[in-house]
Amino acid sequence: MADLDLMRKLAIEGQTKILLLVIDGVGGLPLTPDGLTELEAAQTPNLDSLAARSICGMGMPVAPGVTPGSGPGHLSLFGYDPLRFDIGRGVLEALGIGFDLQPGDLAARGNFCTLDAKGLITDRRAGRIPTEIGARLCEKLRQIRLPGVEVFVEPVKEYRFVLVLRGEGLVDGLTETDPQQVGKPPLPVEALRPQAKPAAELLNQWMAEARNLLSDESPANGCNLRGIAKDPGLPQMPEVYKLRCGAIATYPMYRGVAKLAGMEVLPTGETIEAEVQTLTQHWDDYDFFFFHVKKTDSRGEDGDFEGKVQVIEHLDTVMPDILALNPDVVIITGDHSTPAVWKSHSWHELPVLLYAKYVRRDGVTQFGERPCMAGGLGHIHNTDLMPLAMGYAGRLAKYGA
Amino acid sequence: MADLDLMRKLAIEGQTKILLLVIDGVGGLPLTPDGLTELEAAQTPNLDSLAARSICGMGMPVAPGVTPGSGPGHLSLFGYDPLRFDIGRGVLEALGIGFDLQPGDLAARGNFCTLDAKGLITDRRAGRIPTEIGARLCEKLRQIRLPGVEVFVEPVKEYRFVLVLRGEGLVDGLTETDPQQVGKPPLPVEALRPQAKPAAELLNQWMAEARNLLSDESPANGCNLRGIAKDPGLPQMPEVYKLRCGAIATYPMYRGVAKLAGMEVLPTGETIEAEVQTLTQHWDDYDFFFFHVKKTDSRGEDGDFEGKVQVIEHLDTVMPDILALNPDVVIITGDHSTPAVWKSHSWHELPVLLYAKYVRRDGVTQFGERPCMAGGLGHIHNTDLMPLAMGYAGRLAKYGA
């Protein structure tokens, strides 16, 4: 298992370049038990040719049988044990809409809900109100002022919003208001440690005012706060690995997670080609690049097997341009599986490809789940990938004499 | 490595059914270096056909090179790290004879021994006296009364017996009396913590009276107490995994270990067919079944290669009846290896088969040690099997947002 302290101790500076290419949700399943997975079915001559010059294996993001969310899935790839480091739901939600979260900010995921005359919840999602209505309600909630802190209310999608408090001395360790069942009222925010009491009081004041402001609305006449959290203060990758780290991603959430880990987020366009262009332009500026491909996960969530195949094939066509940059180490994998037949993240291991000059080629000639099961890396934890990349990049000093 | 707290946090209720089929001591070795193991030699068309629809691998019960006892071997399969959770020898011995151990009971494994005129041990096993004599001596020792507690003395086999004290406030943390070598006297029981002192005094009083009562016997004129322990208070499987757990086993020890883990023990007959009948009758009552096949281990301990093959082939014939119940997840493996050529438990890894709808079939078409070494699960720790079963059963919530 990776150990950040060990990396911090052994990491040395160098001229080598590491590319971590994350194909979101790449792991898949066949449509019929004996069929091919999305990755196996895709025509990927460039990835296959790279696999033949690489060492391959299977990677586990969190723990056996455990399905990772996007936060833990990426932390693991960056070398952080996701069972030890935790990005709260409020923080992830704020990052997901591109909110410029600051280190001291307290962020909560908000859900509009429906309350009956006694104040008991009858629908935890307020009938999944349209996004426009959610946005109008957020506009209304922006009237609420709290003593000594700035308050941000940002709509997300349908019944979801983000609440952020910004000010000095906001301490986390706060319970959620959502009782997770209907027939109960929203709960008060409680401080799990004495220092969090002032923040709990502010949030309860906000909740009371929100309820007044929403009282004449229907069906969204109430709301709940979940996952109230701060920037977890992750160890910073440049400090741990002595790497200048650049992140290229088209979706806000992944840019946000990269920023939490200390990477610089590079502005880029919407397409894979635009991301490759960004990579090319900044090639000399960084030692490590996190390159994120999103749409494999989206198509998997849609249950669109063929669409996921096409995204993989699309990525394959730009591989020559990426490899022309001559990276010293390339790791290609995903943050979790999203099999189209499952229409959701899953617990299955990920195929992993590690290319570097000094790998022992293992005979795997196709980048796919079944071929990688027989690969020379064996079955590893994804937190081991950054240390392996560092080793192959010649960026770790010898341990001991 | 599995983590019960993670399971407790993520487990969700469901309608799916998990079957853990434990073929005791199934792992084997060939009679000649290039030959087949017991499992490989057995004609098992049903297990092989299931393997082809499964993902296979190799499982380690405790640690590399370490031979597990039955207690640790099973704890590992149930998801408990056997290096962290420990069932004392006295408790296991009591369970092994079907003694109805209660939570506060203090149990010790007793050994009759031979003492010389100075009270020094000359034979730690009293010449392996016949079982009948051991039983008669136990009858004699039942005269001993201790203040405030009930005392049970139960014969096991040859020179072995079980001593159980039942009463309020018996605290464990007690040393053994067996000096583990001849030429020394039995040692006093010592309390390893102050609260255990009353129990130590009771046991020393019992030892003194036992020595008096046995003084005119030969060769068993003394005894020792080992592994003095209480029910370890394991986390309970229904609480950890949110599964209704039923255990089907023909031998008392396995029923006892299952009960310690919180399973309900289902009455069953002596044969595999009777066990299948019990499984069928109770199929709707539980979410998880521990199904134990004993005789593979017995034949292995006997050094009876062909006998072990026959037990495996016998099990294979009932597989269609088991699979007709339509379990969502089936795990088939052993608690440890018992190669007939070794005539004892061994440290070798176990072949593992995991069947579920959404496995990636790995090309393994025979359930055997060598085929499973190339399986898609790779080499796992047996404590990972319950989490994997939970994941494949759709009974774990996503970890993190």
Side-chain angles (χ1 to χ4, degrees):
Chain A
M1 188 73 77
D3 182 74
L4 295 179
D5 290 334
L6 186 61
M7 290 297 106
R8 197 179 271 119
K9 178 174 167 174
L10 300 180
I12 49 181
E13 292 185 355
Q15 301 299 314
T16 47
K17 293 203 185 282
I18 300 169
L19 172 66
L20 172 65
L21 172 46
V22 179
I23 314 175
D24 204 303
V26 69
L29 284 169
L31 290 174
T32 55
D34 283 321
L36 300 172
T37 68
E38 297 90 323
L39 182 59
E40 290 166 356
Q43 296 295 314
T44 52
N46 295 304
L47 287 167
D48 294 346
S49 148
L50 186 64
R53 289 173 285 137
S54 300
I55 186 164
C56 295
M58 296 302 284
M60 184 170 62
V62 176
V66 172
T67 298
S70 295
H74 277 84
L75 285 187
S76 189
L77 292 171
F78 301 156
Y80 303 83
D81 178 357
L83 294 177
R84 194 179 144 206
F85 296 99
D86 181 34
I87 305 177
R89 183 182 288 260
V91 170
L92 213 61
E93 202 78 15
L95 299 175
I97 56 164
F99 184 86
D100 186 23
L101 201 72
Q102 302 296 312
D105 290 356
L106 201 58
R109 146 89 172 263
N111 287 347
F112 290 109
C113 67
T114 308
L115 304 175
D116 67 13
K118 293 182 194 149
L120 307 181
I121 299 168
T122 57
D123 184 337
R124 290 175 59 236
R125 296 180 184 86
R128 294 187 182 270
I129 47 167
T131 302
E132 312 81 84
I133 294 186
R136 180 178 62 73
L137 297 175
C138 285
E139 194 67 51
K140 204 165 175 181
L141 294 177
R142 283 184 188 143
Q143 299 171 44
I144 304 173
R145 296 279 173 273
L146 294 174
V149 295
E150 267 188 284
V151 184
F152 303 87
V153 184
E154 302 293 339
V156 182
K157 199 178 162 188
E158 299 175 346
Y159 60 93
R160 299 196 293 251
F161 65 92
V162 169
L163 170 69
V164 176
L165 306 193
R166 178 171 295 165
E168 291 295 309
L170 291 167
V171 172
D172 58 2
L174 297 153
T175 62
E176 308 192 328
T177 72
D178 188 347
Q180 303 265 5
Q181 48 183 303
V182 296
K184 303 222 166 166
L187 306 168
V189 176
E190 284 175 34
L192 296 170
R193 40 184 178 167
Q195 309 94 302
K197 270 204 168 166
E201 281 163 23
L202 288 170
L203 288 163
N204 285 324
Q205 181 179 340
W206 187 90
M207 280 290 286
E209 296 196 29
R211 186 157 170 207
N212 277 341
L213 286 169
L214 296 173
S215 59
D216 57 351
E217 296 286 342
S218 174
N221 63 343
C223 67
N224 273 304
L225 300 179
R226 299 189 62 186
I228 306 166
K230 291 171 74 168
D231 176 336
L234 297 176
Q236 301 291 286
M237 289 179 75
E239 180 261 322
V240 171
Y241 298 114
K242 297 196 179 67
L243 294 169
R244 297 170 300 162
C245 298
I248 301 170
T250 59
Y251 270 50
M253 184 194 290
Y254 309 98
R255 292 200 287 263
V257 173
K259 198 176 140 198
L260 290 183
M263 297 186 215
E264 289 178 37
V265 174
L266 309 179
T268 191
E270 289 297 309
T271 63
I272 296 179
E273 283 77 6
E275 292 184 271
V276 174
Q277 201 180 357
T278 304
L279 180 71
T280 307
Q281 283 166 354
H282 289 277
W283 190 248
D284 292 336
D285 306 336
Y286 298 92
D287 307 304
F288 170 88
F289 292 91
F290 159 50
F291 187 108
H292 184 260
V293 174
K294 170 64 186 172
K295 293 212 157 49
T296 28
D297 178 57
S298 315
R299 293 298 84 76
E301 296 257 8
D302 296 342
D304 180 0
F305 187 99
E306 191 46 45
K308 188 172 163 191
V309 169
Q310 284 168 14
V311 178
I312 295 167
E313 292 184 342
H314 179 182
L315 170 66
D316 193 71
T317 64
V318 306
M319 286 308 300
D321 295 333
I322 292 176
L323 297 176
L325 296 167
N326 228 352
D328 297 280
V329 179
V330 180
I331 288 177
I332 307 181
T333 187
D335 53 337
H336 53 74
S337 293
T338 310
V341 292
W342 189 250
K343 295 188 184 179
S344 182
H345 293 197
S346 82
W347 59 93
H348 299 86
E349 288 183 314
L350 279 302
V352 176
L353 173 163
L354 190 161
Y355 164 80
K357 187 174 177 186
Y358 291 117
V359 293
R360 296 177 182 139
R361 298 184 183 179
D362 55 11
V364 175
T365 57
Q366 189 201 344
F367 187 48
E369 286 84 351
R370 260 74 65 96
C372 285
M373 281 180 190
L377 280 178
H379 295 253
I380 62 176
H381 199 280
N382 281 357
T383 51
D384 292 335
L385 288 170
M386 275 303 297
L388 280 170
M390 292 290 288
Y392 279 101
R395 283 174 169 269
L396 293 181
K398 187 160 67 176
Y399 178 73
Chain B
M1 190 74 76
D3 183 82
L4 294 179
D5 289 335
L6 186 62
M7 288 299 105
R8 198 178 270 118
K9 177 175 165 173
L10 299 180
I12 48 181
E13 291 183 358
Q15 301 299 317
T16 47
K17 295 205 184 277
I18 300 170
L19 172 66
L20 172 65
L21 171 46
V22 179
I23 313 174
D24 204 303
V26 69
L29 284 168
L31 290 173
T32 56
D34 286 323
L36 300 173
T37 68
E38 297 90 324
L39 181 59
E40 290 165 358
Q43 297 295 314
T44 53
N46 295 307
L47 286 167
D48 295 347
S49 146
L50 186 64
R53 290 173 283 139
S54 300
I55 187 165
C56 295
M58 296 301 285
M60 183 170 62
V62 177
V66 172
T67 297
S70 296
H74 277 86
L75 284 187
S76 189
L77 291 171
F78 302 156
Y80 303 82
D81 178 357
L83 295 175
R84 194 178 144 209
F85 296 98
D86 182 32
I87 304 177
R89 182 183 290 259
V91 171
L92 212 60
E93 203 77 15
L95 298 177
I97 55 165
F99 184 86
D100 185 23
L101 202 71
Q102 302 295 314
D105 290 356
L106 202 58
R109 146 88 173 265
N111 288 349
F112 291 109
C113 66
T114 308
L115 304 174
D116 67 12
K118 293 182 194 151
L120 307 181
I121 298 167
T122 58
D123 185 338
R124 291 175 56 237
R125 296 181 184 84
R128 292 186 183 272
I129 47 167
T131 303
E132 313 79 81
I133 295 190
R136 181 179 61 74
L137 297 175
C138 285
E139 195 65 52
K140 205 166 178 180
L141 293 178
R142 283 185 187 143
Q143 301 172 45
I144 304 173
R145 299 278 175 273
L146 294 176
V149 295
E150 266 187 285
V151 184
F152 303 86
V153 185
E154 301 293 338
V156 182
K157 200 180 163 188
E158 298 176 346
Y159 60 93
R160 300 197 293 251
F161 66 91
V162 169
L163 171 68
V164 176
L165 306 194
R166 178 171 296 165
E168 291 295 309
L170 291 168
V171 173
D172 58 0
L174 297 153
T175 62
E176 309 192 326
T177 72
D178 188 347
Q180 302 266 3
Q181 47 185 300
V182 296
K184 303 221 165 165
L187 305 168
V189 176
E190 285 175 34
L192 295 169
R193 41 182 177 167
Q195 309 92 301
K197 270 200 169 169
E201 282 164 22
L202 288 170
L203 289 163
N204 286 324
Q205 181 181 338
W206 187 90
M207 280 290 286
E209 297 196 29
R211 192 164 162 200
N212 278 341
L213 286 170
L214 296 172
S215 59
D216 57 351
E217 296 287 342
S218 175
N221 63 344
C223 67
N224 272 305
L225 300 179
R226 300 189 63 186
I228 307 165
K230 292 171 73 169
D231 175 336
L234 297 176
Q236 301 291 286
M237 289 181 74
E239 181 261 321
V240 171
Y241 299 114
K242 296 194 179 73
L243 294 169
R244 297 171 300 162
C245 298
I248 302 170
T250 59
Y251 271 50
M253 186 195 291
Y254 310 99
R255 292 200 286 262
V257 174
K259 197 176 141 198
L260 290 183
M263 296 186 216
E264 288 178 37
V265 174
L266 309 180
T268 190
E270 288 298 310
T271 63
I272 296 179
E273 282 76 7
E275 292 185 271
V276 173
Q277 201 181 354
T278 304
L279 180 72
T280 306
Q281 282 165 352
H282 289 276
W283 189 248
D284 292 335
D285 305 336
Y286 298 92
D287 308 303
F288 170 88
F289 292 90
F290 158 49
F291 187 108
H292 185 259
V293 174
K294 170 63 186 170
K295 292 211 156 51
T296 29
D297 178 57
S298 315
R299 295 297 84 76
E301 297 257 8
D302 297 342
D304 180 359
F305 187 99
E306 192 43 47
K308 188 171 162 191
V309 167
Q310 283 168 12
V311 179
I312 295 167
E313 292 184 343
H314 179 184
L315 170 65
D316 192 72
T317 63
V318 305
M319 287 308 299
D321 295 331
I322 292 177
L323 296 176
L325 296 167
N326 228 351
D328 296 280
V329 179
V330 179
I331 289 177
I332 306 181
T333 187
D335 54 336
H336 53 74
S337 294
T338 309
V341 293
W342 188 251
K343 295 187 184 177
S344 182
H345 293 197
S346 80
W347 59 93
H348 301 85
E349 287 182 313
L350 278 302
V352 176
L353 172 164
L354 190 162
Y355 164 80
K357 184 173 179 189
Y358 289 117
V359 295
R360 293 173 183 146
R361 298 186 180 179
D362 57 9
V364 174
T365 57
Q366 190 200 344
F367 187 48
E369 287 83 349
R370 263 74 65 95
C372 285
M373 282 181 191
L377 280 178
H379 296 253
I380 62 175
H381 199 282
N382 281 358
T383 50
D384 292 336
L385 287 170
M386 275 303 298
L388 281 170
M390 292 289 289
Y392 279 100
R395 284 174 169 269
L396 294 180
K398 187 160 69 171
Y399 178 73

